[in-house]
């Protein structure tokens, strides 16, 4: 029988690997299959004298195999791209990928479904890059959107493994702007891709110096030839010393560099590689022709963005250095990874600098990576309200604790010389106690040789961080002393910890399913408090600090650390085993807030022990940024479903109601604010796509709509060919028609699916319950049309673009005849609207007195239950005097009443969206 928690933990880990190896790898196993595999391995180990807790083993396997992850989706452009991956699957060895896959499954114990999804998503990204064997000049740029701390590094290491298998021989990973993040990333690359420790060797086949690690150290792992001039030490970046030490040729096997994202390093790298491998082109510039370059840009929205006001002018240095490196290779591919893509989508896609070429707009593809179901992300921490009826809201987990007593200790606004008061706030004392209890509880669960981290992020100033570190260390020391009973305080301190455990931890754990969070009694936790407390060290993590979070050095015993930090902890750096966060540092931008959220990530077996101590103001900001980010992801997914490319559909990000900015102002110079609420507005179609498929689709949508109208309301018509009206039409019938209508991509404000979504939002708060629909007809029309049994005369609307046939779109000034907008209103409402219109004209000193009410004032008069939809069949001119008339176009106008609940929602949109005319919508009547 295993005698210590450590022995038990190792035996269980071994048993877990063996059971997972028995189970099916291409689908999720059934509960029966899990139990059978557990029985087999339990019996086998027992026969070898190793006994594990069978129930615990079964519980862990059930948790791992229950993890679900959706596939990725994205926008793709095939412009200049030649499909290649299916053929390459058969004509190349995929040794690096197979070794990495085994490493993830056998060593890292990733759930099988997560590894399968990683295989799929890396294939999807790789297929959008160019075949490295393709001759000639080519360039591909793409963006992958993950979530904070959700496994993006593991994904791009998998992509890099497949890229080198495919033939990309020069891989550059841009790993943040700080040495420790670069070092941490290099270590991950060493373990997953290289298979050897770069601090001791440069190339995998160096004889006599074998320092294998990670994927290279697995039993039976292939020795694969690969090199890295950079290493995982703090000073292991690329420079003159690293370049001089290179003693291997380029182009014969893969070379991987992990470099800091700094223009000087990138310029030196470019100079070195072009000197070693470049040949002069016709302009005299040295270009590398025979080696394909693959750049992976981690945290691609940080430092890579050109923040100059004029995108065509000389860009900022780091942006220029990345583009210059790309230009120096005849064949190049670039993939940016970020959880906060706001700055990237505002890059101007049409920039073409004389020397540096195009900017880093993701012209080739944008993909989103859904997180596995065991990811502890913003939606689960802060909750998410979903507008879609098909999905449930995500309730927040009970992990956030309020902080309202820290302002007198460290005010939200302070200077670098500020000295915090000596008295730690009670909330921080409780947070430290919670960290001690979470470490003890993990030990009680057998998680002894693991990392435990606590984050204290209250200031950006390193001097203040140093004082906070001393205060936290002093408090921790007093806690240890009191529990050692030096002053007779041990019983009192243990009673306080027990009270916190029973008041906070017990009910929180009860909120989680028993197979995800093992309930513990105080009697099980108490003996582990002192061993857990003795392991904790306090460190500062900033540019001036010599402290380092040596997780790798403590990988066999586990490091328990309270990390006091600021900026360094808010970009990419991972705090291993993070359980408790004490976070007061506010920000006014979406991306910075999300990046500061180091508490997001994977917490297997201890989610219930995690805590976030923060202010109510910050919690409200996180709720808002979570909703905005979710909406952006859904936007990409919707565009992907329509088979759109990054260039032909602009992206939008909802602006904040709490005064938050999307990202730093200089990163979004190409972003413009627009309003996307339809309260009191009258969107109408004025641009029509003339593609036959679109014309036919909209006529069919109208036919189906009219049939449904006849099924829910009685049609009213006065003259043949004239208007047909339906009253008391349910909202869902309207929304369904709008969702099936196809508009031209260059259409102005009219986006039918947004309008349909707005209708659903109004219905949810009791507005727009029923509609009036008018199918507007012209009784004197020459060519009446039959629409689901109703005779309708098409209206005429002259094109304002004479070349509409060659352009493929028909543009008119207005579809509405203004009196149509008050066909359903009562005379008193029309009179009130006319009075208001004339009063407004008088205030503006207009000479001409209006004789008809304006649409804006008509909509002011509408009650919340008085929405109007006007449908028009628009006659198209024949192609020739003797030719047959072409099928009519379908247009519509919606007249929305003012909403009492739906305030304007402001969005910031990129250049592409602006080109589509969304920010120039003008609702003045008469088409002025």
């Amino acid at each position: 029988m295993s005698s210590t928690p450590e022995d038990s933990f190792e035996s269980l880990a071994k048993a877990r690997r063996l059971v997972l190896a028995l189970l099916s790898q291409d689908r999720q196993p059934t509960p029966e299959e899990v139990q059978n595999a557990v029985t087999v391995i339990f019996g086998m180990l027992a026969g070898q004298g190793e006994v594990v807790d069978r129930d615990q083993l079964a519980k862990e396997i059930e948790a791992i195999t229950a993890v679900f992850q959706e596939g990725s989706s994205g926008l793709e452009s095939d412009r200049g791209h030649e499909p290649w991956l299916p053929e390459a699957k058969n004509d190349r060895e995929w040794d690096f990928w197979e070794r990495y896959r085994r490493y993830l499954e056998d060593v890292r114990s990733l759930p099988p479904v997560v590894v399968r999804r990683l295989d799929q998503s890396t294939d999807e990204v790789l297929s959008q890059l160019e075949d490295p064997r393709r001759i000639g000049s080519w360039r591909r740029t793409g963006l992958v959107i993950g979530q904070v701390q959700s496994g993006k590094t593991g994904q791009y290491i998998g992509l890099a493994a497949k890229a080198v298998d495919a033939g990309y021989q020069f891989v550059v990973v841009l790993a943040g702007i700080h040495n420790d993040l670069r070092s941490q990333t290099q270590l991950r690359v060493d373990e997953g891709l290289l298979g050897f420790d770069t601090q001791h060797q440069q190339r995998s086949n160096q004889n006599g110096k074998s320092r294998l690690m990670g994927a290279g150290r697995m039993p039976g792992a292939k020795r694969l030839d690969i090199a890295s001039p950079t290493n995982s030490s703090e000073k292991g970046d690329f420079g003159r010393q690293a370049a001089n030490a290179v003693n291997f040729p380029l182009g014969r096997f893969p070379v991987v560099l992990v470099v800091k994202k700094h223009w000087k390093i990138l310029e030196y790298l470019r100079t070195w590689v072009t000197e070693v491998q470049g040949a002069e082109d016709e302009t005299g510039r040295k270009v590398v022709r025979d080696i394909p370059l693959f750049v992976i840009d981690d945290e691609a929205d940080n430092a890579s963005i050109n923040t100059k006001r004029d995108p065509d002018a000389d860009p900022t240095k780091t942006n220029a250095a990345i583009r210059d490196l790309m230009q120096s290779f005849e064949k190049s591919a670039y993939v940016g990874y970020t959880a906060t893509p706001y700055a990237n989508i505002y890059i101007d896609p049409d920039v073409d600098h004389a020397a540096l070429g195009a900017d880093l707009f993701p012209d080739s593809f944008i993909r989103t990576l859904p997180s596995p179901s065991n990811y502890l992300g913003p939606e689960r921490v802060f909750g998410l309200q979903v507008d879609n009826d098909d999905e449930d809201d995500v309730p927040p987990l009970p992990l956030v604790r309020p902080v309202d007593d820290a302002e007198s200790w460290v005010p939200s606004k302070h200077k670098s010389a500020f000295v915090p008061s000596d008295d730690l706030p009670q909330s921080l004392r409780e947070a430290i106690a919670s960290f001690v209890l979470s470490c003890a509880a993990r030990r009680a669960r057998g998680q002894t040789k693991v990392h435990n981290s606590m984050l204290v992020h209250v200031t950006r100033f390193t001097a203040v961080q140093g004082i906070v570190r001393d205060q936290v260390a002093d408090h921790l020391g007093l806690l240890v002393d009191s529990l050692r009973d030096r002053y007779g305080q041990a019983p009192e301190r243990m009673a306080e910890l027990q009270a916190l455990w029973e008041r906070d931890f017990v009910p929180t754990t009860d909120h989680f399913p028993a197979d995800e969070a093992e309930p513990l009694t105080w009697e099980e936790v108490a003996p582990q408090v002192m061993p857990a407390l003795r392991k904790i060290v306090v460190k500062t993590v900033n540019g001036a600090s010599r402290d380092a979070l040596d997780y790798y050095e403590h990988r066999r015993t586990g490091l328990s650390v309270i990390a006091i930090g600021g900026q360094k902890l808010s970009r990419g750096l991972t705090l291993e085993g993070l359980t408790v966060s004490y976070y007061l540092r506010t920000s006014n931008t979406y991306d910075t807030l999300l990046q500061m959220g180091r508490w997001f990530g994977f917490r297997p077996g201890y989610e219930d022990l995690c805590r976030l101590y923060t202010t109510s103001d910050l919690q409200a900001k996180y709720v808002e940024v979570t909703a905005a980010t979710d909406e952006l992801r859904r936007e990409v997914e919707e565009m992907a479903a329509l088979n759109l490319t990054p260039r032909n559909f602009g992206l939008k990000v909802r602006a904040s109601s709490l005064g938050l900015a999307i990202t730093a102002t200089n990163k979004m110079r190409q972003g413009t604010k627009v309003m996307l609420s339809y309260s009191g507005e009258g969107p109408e179609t004025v641009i029509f796509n003339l593609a036959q498929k679109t014309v036919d689709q909209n006529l069919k949508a109208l036919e189906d709509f009219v049939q449904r109208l006849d099924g829910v309301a009685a049609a009213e018509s006065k003259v043949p060919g004239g208007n047909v009206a339906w009253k008391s039409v349910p909202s869902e019938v309207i929304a369904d028609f709008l969702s099936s209508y196809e508009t031209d991509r260059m259409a102005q404000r009219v986006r039918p699916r947004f309008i349909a979504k707005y209708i659903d939002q109004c219905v949810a708060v009791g507005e727009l319950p029923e509609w009036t629909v008018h199918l507007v007809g012209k009784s004197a029309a020459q060519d009446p049309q039959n629409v689901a049994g109703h005779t309708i005369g098409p209206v005429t609307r002259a094109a304002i673009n004479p070349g509409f046939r060659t352009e493929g779109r028909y543009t008119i000034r207005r579809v509405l005849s203004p009196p149509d907008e008050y066909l359903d209103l009562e005379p008193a409402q029309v009179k009130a609207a006319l009075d208001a219109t004339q009063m407004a004209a008088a205030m503006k000193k207009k000479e001409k007195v209006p004789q008809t009410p304006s649409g804006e004032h008509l909509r002011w008069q509408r009650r919340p239950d008085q929405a109007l939809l006007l449908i028009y069949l628009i006659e198209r001119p024949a192609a020739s005097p003797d030719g047959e008339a072409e099928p009519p176009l379908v247009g519509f106008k919606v007249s929305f009443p003012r909403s009492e609940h739906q305030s304007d929602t402001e969005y910031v949109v990129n250049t592409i969206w602006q080109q589509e005319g969304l920010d120039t919508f003008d609702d003045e009547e008469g088409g002025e």
Side-chain angles (χ1 to χ4, degrees):
M1 184 71 69
S2 298
S3 58
T4 67
E6 289 89 341
D7 293 337
S8 175
F9 187 67
E10 288 184 0
S11 297
L12 202 59
K14 176 182 175 182
R16 189 170 57 230
R17 289 197 300 271
L18 292 169
V19 172
L20 288 173
L22 271 186
L23 294 169
S24 171
Q25 300 302 305
D26 59 355
R27 60 176 175 79
Q28 286 189 284
T30 64
E32 293 77 16
E33 290 170 334
V34 169
Q35 291 299 329
N36 291 339
V38 168
T39 300
V40 169
I41 298 303
F42 178 76
M44 184 188 81
L45 291 176
Q48 297 172 359
E50 282 191 72
V51 180
V52 297
D53 185 329
R54 189 195 182 286
D55 291 342
Q56 180 68 18
L57 175 61
K59 189 184 297 182
E60 288 199 15
I61 298 296
E62 285 167 358
I64 290 172
T65 54
V67 172
F68 175 74
Q69 185 176 12
E70 296 177 349
S72 69
S73 59
L75 320 179
E76 299 170 354
S77 170
D78 289 332
R79 188 173 63 172
H81 176 59
E82 295 180 5
W84 64 280
L85 188 57
E87 191 67 30
K89 285 287 185 182
N90 296 316
D91 67 15
R92 288 164 222 194
E93 301 296 328
W94 298 89
D95 291 335
F96 281 99
W97 163 251
E98 285 303 321
R99 190 175 75 171
Y100 182 59
R101 181 186 60 76
R102 264 192 62 206
Y103 170 69
L104 294 178
E105 292 175 344
D106 297 349
V107 180
R108 299 295 300 276
S109 299
L110 258 63
V113 68
V114 173
V115 179
R116 288 200 300 276
R117 287 287 183 250
L118 183 70
D119 190 8
Q120 292 169 4
S121 63
T122 48
D123 267 4
E124 287 160 352
V125 175
L126 185 66
S127 69
Q128 286 302 305
L129 305 182
E130 219 52 52
D131 183 353
R133 296 182 182 177
R134 179 181 165 187
I135 60 172
S137 176
W138 44 260
R139 181 183 194 263
R140 298 286 284 175
T141 54
L143 181 69
V144 178
I145 305 170
Q147 293 221 47
V148 176
Q149 304 282 85
S150 68
K152 294 187 299 299
T153 306
Q155 210 271 353
Y156 70 63
I157 290 174
L159 176 63
K162 288 184 176 179
V164 298
D165 281 328
Y168 280 94
Q169 294 169 321
F170 201 76
V171 179
V172 178
V173 180
L174 307 179
I177 59 175
H178 296 295
N179 283 329
D180 48 5
L181 177 55
R182 192 215 64 82
S183 173
Q184 187 181 74
T185 303
Q186 176 89 52
L187 185 60
R188 293 283 303 275
V189 171
D190 290 359
E191 291 177 320
L193 177 59
L194 301 174
F196 64 87
D197 187 347
T198 51
Q199 288 199 37
H200 299 282
Q201 62 195 79
Q202 281 194 325
R203 187 175 170 189
S204 57
N205 70 348
Q206 285 177 334
N207 295 323
K209 297 183 180 178
S210 179
R211 300 288 187 116
L212 300 179
M213 67 188 299
R217 195 174 179 175
M218 294 184 299
K222 275 191 178 182
R223 293 290 297 274
L224 303 172
D225 205 0
I226 191 168
S228 176
T230 56
N231 69 65
S232 60
S233 70
E234 279 278 314
K235 297 181 179 178
D237 209 338
F238 191 76
R240 183 172 288 105
Q241 187 177 350
N244 291 337
V246 172
N247 57 2
F248 47 77
L250 298 181
R252 295 189 190 170
F253 49 82
V255 174
V256 179
L257 301 94
V258 181
V259 301
K260 199 158 67 257
K261 206 184 303 187
H262 190 282
W263 66 273
K264 282 187 177 178
I265 291 169
L266 290 169
E267 278 193 2
Y268 189 79
L269 172 60
R270 182 190 61 80
T271 303
W272 171 75
V273 74
T274 52
E275 287 296 326
V276 172
Q277 205 72 27
E280 287 191 2
D281 62 11
E282 58 276 6
T283 67
R285 174 188 173 97
K286 283 198 169 184
V287 176
V288 179
R289 298 191 185 282
D290 51 346
I291 301 177
L293 166 71
F294 181 29
V295 176
I296 294 173
D297 188 356
D298 194 9
E299 306 294 341
D301 62 312
N302 190 29
S304 304
I305 304 298
N306 177 20
T307 55
K308 290 290 181 69
R309 189 173 298 277
D310 179 1
D312 291 311
D314 287 342
T316 44
K317 286 184 175 180
T318 301
N319 174 269
I322 297 171
R323 290 159 66 181
D324 205 7
L325 179 65
M326 299 273 292
Q327 284 283 91
S328 298
F329 282 74
E330 187 179 49
K331 316 168 199 297
S332 64
Y334 167 96
V335 179
Y337 278 78
T338 184
T340 48
Y342 311 117
N344 304 83
I345 65 175
Y346 298 128
I347 296 172
D348 190 330
D350 296 317
V351 169
D352 191 7
H353 191 274
L356 302 171
D359 205 343
L360 301 176
F361 179 79
D363 211 18
S364 305
F365 63 89
I366 300 174
R367 297 202 71 82
T368 61
L369 294 178
S371 300
S373 54
N374 62 338
Y375 169 64
L376 186 64
E379 295 87 352
R380 295 181 67 206
V381 174
F382 297 104
L384 179 68
Q385 287 191 315
V386 181
D387 295 328
N388 192 338
D389 289 340
D390 297 333
E391 298 179 51
D392 295 328
D393 289 348
V394 181
L397 291 172
L399 304 179
V400 182
R401 301 291 177 266
V403 174
D404 56 12
D405 59 353
E407 190 68 18
S408 59
W409 173 58
V410 176
S412 51
K413 293 184 178 180
H414 58 272
K415 297 184 177 178
S416 58
F418 175 76
V419 177
S421 64
D422 291 337
D423 195 25
L424 288 187
Q426 177 57 33
S427 56
L428 179 53
R429 293 166 185 256
E430 182 184 301
I432 294 169
S434 293
F435 180 55
V436 173
L437 289 173
S438 70
C439 294
R442 293 192 72 190
R443 293 179 66 87
R445 287 175 178 170
Q447 301 170 22
T448 53
K449 296 179 180 180
V450 296
H451 299 308
N452 294 284
S453 300
M454 175 178 176
L455 164 68
V456 178
H457 189 162
V458 298
T459 177
R460 67 187 177 93
F461 299 114
T462 55
V464 184
Q465 289 169 20
I467 298 170
V468 170
R469 180 212 170 280
D470 292 343
Q471 291 182 344
V472 170
D474 287 347
H475 177 75
L476 200 67
L478 288 171
L479 187 57
V480 172
D481 288 344
S482 64
L483 285 171
R484 281 179 176 153
D485 209 22
R486 184 176 296 178
Y487 306 108
Q489 295 177 318
E492 183 183 344
R493 287 287 172 269
M494 286 299 284
E496 289 172 357
L497 290 170
Q498 181 179 358
L500 177 59
W501 175 262
E502 291 175 349
R503 180 183 80 245
D504 188 317
F505 283 79
V506 172
T508 301
T509 298
D510 287 345
H511 184 86
F512 288 75
D515 59 344
E516 293 179 14
E518 177 190 350
L520 295 168
T521 64
W522 175 246
E523 288 68 31
E524 293 171 297
V525 174
Q528 301 296 337
V529 167
M530 203 60 192
L533 191 51
R534 286 196 194 101
K535 269 186 90 170
I536 299 172
V537 294
V538 185
K539 294 193 173 191
T540 49
V541 183
N542 56 50
S545 167
R546 292 187 177 181
D547 290 348
L549 299 178
D550 294 324
Y551 291 117
Y552 185 72
E553 297 300 320
H554 293 82
R555 63 191 180 281
R556 291 185 175 87
T557 57
L559 176 69
S560 292
V561 62
I562 298 178
I564 317 292
Q567 194 63 31
K568 270 191 153 185
L569 293 179
S570 67
R571 255 308 166 172
L573 196 66
T574 299
L575 291 172
E576 302 285 354
L578 180 62
T579 47
V580 178
S581 300
Y582 189 84
Y583 175 70
L584 306 180
R585 170 95 183 280
T586 192
S587 171
N588 288 319
T589 64
Y590 283 2
D591 48 7
T592 304
L593 278 170
L594 273 180
Q595 291 293 346
M596 285 179 173
R598 298 289 99 193
W599 47 83
F600 304 131
F602 298 95
R603 308 287 184 260
Y606 63 102
E607 272 189 357
D608 61 312
L609 306 177
C610 296
R611 297 291 182 271
L612 169 60
Y613 286 80
T614 192
T615 64
S616 56
D617 172 63
L618 271 164
Q619 187 172 357
K621 287 182 176 180
Y622 273 104
V623 168
E624 190 169 81
V625 74
T626 298
T629 307
D630 179 73
E631 187 172 42
L632 175 63
R633 290 173 186 283
R634 289 170 185 270
E635 182 81 0
V636 173
E637 289 164 5
E638 285 186 36
M639 290 187 280
L642 294 171
N643 293 319
L644 301 180
T645 71
R647 271 194 169 258
N648 62 18
F649 200 115
L651 292 165
K652 66 178 177 56
V653 184
R654 182 195 305 205
S656 165
S657 63
L658 299 176
L660 299 174
I662 307 301
T663 186
T665 306
N666 60 358
K667 289 185 181 179
M668 51 181 288
R669 298 199 190 281
Q670 313 309 316
T672 298
K673 293 183 179 181
V674 296
M675 309 303 288
L676 283 179
S677 168
Y678 293 96
S679 172
E681 292 190 11
E684 63 182 295
T685 49
V686 293
I687 302 178
F688 301 87
N689 190 324
L690 295 181
Q692 195 60 47
K693 181 181 176 183
T694 303
V695 174
D696 292 343
Q697 162 61 28
N698 288 340
L699 284 168
K700 183 181 184 304
L702 177 59
E703 185 91 1
D704 295 344
F705 180 49
V706 171
Q707 287 178 356
R708 282 193 71 184
L709 290 172
D710 284 336
V712 297
E716 301 173 11
S717 60
K718 295 179 180 177
V719 294
N723 291 8
V724 182
W726 295 265
K727 296 178 181 176
S728 302
V729 177
S731 276
E732 61 266 21
V733 178
I734 308 296
D736 287 349
F737 164 71
L738 291 169
S739 296
S740 64
Y741 182 94
E742 289 187 10
T743 187
D744 189 276
R745 286 181 189 156
M746 289 297 289
Q748 290 185 354
R749 177 96 195 259
V750 180
R751 291 291 168 87
R753 72 177 189 279
F754 291 153
I755 299 174
K757 183 176 180 180
Y758 173 77
I759 292 170
D760 291 341
Q761 290 172 340
C762 288
V763 170
V765 293
E767 295 182 338
L768 308 183
E770 294 179 332
W771 289 62
T772 297
V773 178
H774 276 262
L775 184 50
V776 178
K778 180 179 173 184
S779 57
Q782 298 294 314
D783 189 17
Q785 302 287 310
N786 184 298
V787 181
H790 299 279
T791 301
I792 301 296
V795 300
T796 54
R797 297 289 186 266
I800 59 174
N801 58 329
F804 61 86
R805 286 193 174 86
T806 55
E807 293 173 18
R809 57 176 53 92
Y810 192 83
T811 306
I812 60 177
R813 194 167 299 281
R814 302 213 65 190
V815 73
L816 176 78
S817 175
D820 292 345
E821 196 167 2
Y822 48 90
L823 282 169
D824 64 323
L825 293 182
E826 296 156 9
Q829 288 176 303
V830 178
K831 183 178 185 309
L834 178 58
D835 292 343
T837 303
Q838 292 174 340
M839 187 181 300
M843 289 175 66
K844 292 177 182 178
K845 304 286 194 291
K846 287 192 175 182
E847 294 181 9
K848 189 176 179 181
V849 178
Q851 298 303 308
T852 56
S854 74
E856 180 184 11
H857 290 292
L858 284 167
R859 294 189 289 276
W860 264 102
Q861 294 303 316
R862 289 189 176 279
R863 299 187 304 271
D865 63 347
Q866 268 189 310
L868 172 69
L869 174 62
L870 300 163
I871 310 278
Y872 296 83
L873 281 180
I874 302 163
E875 186 179 78
R876 277 199 282 172
S880 65
D882 302 323
E884 283 187 12
E886 295 178 279
L889 305 171
V890 177
F892 67 81
K893 162 82 176 187
V894 187
S895 186
F896 279 111
R898 284 219 163 240
S899 168
E900 294 176 7
H901 300 278
Q902 296 290 325
S903 61
D904 285 346
T905 301
E906 188 179 84
Y907 290 82
V908 178
V909 299
N910 68 353
T911 309
I912 296 170
W913 188 292
Q914 295 171 48
Q915 289 168 355
E916 292 170 350
L918 274 174
D919 60 333
T920 58
F921 181 77
D922 187 344
D923 193 41
E924 286 295 314
E925 302 308 305
E928 298 298 332

